[in-house]
Amino acid sequence: RLMAQRDILETLTQGPQELVDLLPWPMQVGRTGLAAWSAERRVVGSHIDADPSPAFLEQCLEFLVMLHGVGGGAAQRSVSETARRCGEVCTRERDRYTLAALGDSLDEVLADVPRGFAHGDFWHENLLCDGDRLVGVIDWDGAGPGRLPLLDLIHFQASRVQAGGHMSLGAGVVQGPLVTARAGGDE
């Protein structure tokens, strides 16, 4: 995971300078015995509150758009494959079937949606600020190309609901972004 994060950050250093300025890009990597290590540029800033300002949210959205534009590529795995993997932990056959059918349907519906780069764990604990200004994004081991747009944004919104209500991330999705989507969206 450490080497994957290094590779991801090295790829992103080829992106727009506004993006690169927010990254803890790798300066050196190596191995010592069995241990792998990475020395990254320190990104200076403070963790944000779970309920940031509208100006900060706008910067996050601009960052995600810039990040998504860095690299497309094919999805690493289809939605149906992911759904089937999730279904493996379901105890009821009906739930496995429902997940598989949903995955197949989503693959069809999302076939023409452009893929791009995503962070994979975009939430307030991985964002650094200076006042209302986004100054850094950390923890890149879940990032990669070929991702659907908006997944980082949905994760960010769900984690804000989760933190505010002291609930699971799944409950945060159901009580946050899903409610917003059913209401027709927001700004």
Side-chain angles (χ1 to χ4, degrees), residues 157-177:
Q157 291 175 323
S159 67
R160 289 176 55 215
V161 173
Q162 172 197 18
H166 307 290
M167 62 185 75
S168 71
L169 186 58
V173 169
V174 171
Q175 295 180 26

Side-chain angles (χ1 to χ4, degrees), residues 12-46:
L12 293 176
T13 60
Q14 306 306 308
Q17 190 61 46
E18 299 88 5
L19 177 76
V20 175
D21 289 344
L22 300 173
L23 303 177
W25 37 267
M27 298 184 312
Q28 288 186 311
V29 295
R31 295 189 78 73
T32 303
L34 296 175
W37 58 270
S38 173
E40 299 168 353
R41 175 183 79 97
R42 182 169 185 239
V43 181
V44 180
S46 303

Side-chain angles (χ1 to χ4, degrees), residues 141-157:
D141 63 326
R147 309 280 175 85
L148 290 165
L150 302 178
L151 291 181
D152 278 336
L153 181 61
I154 292 168
H155 182 252
F156 181 62
Q157 291 175 323

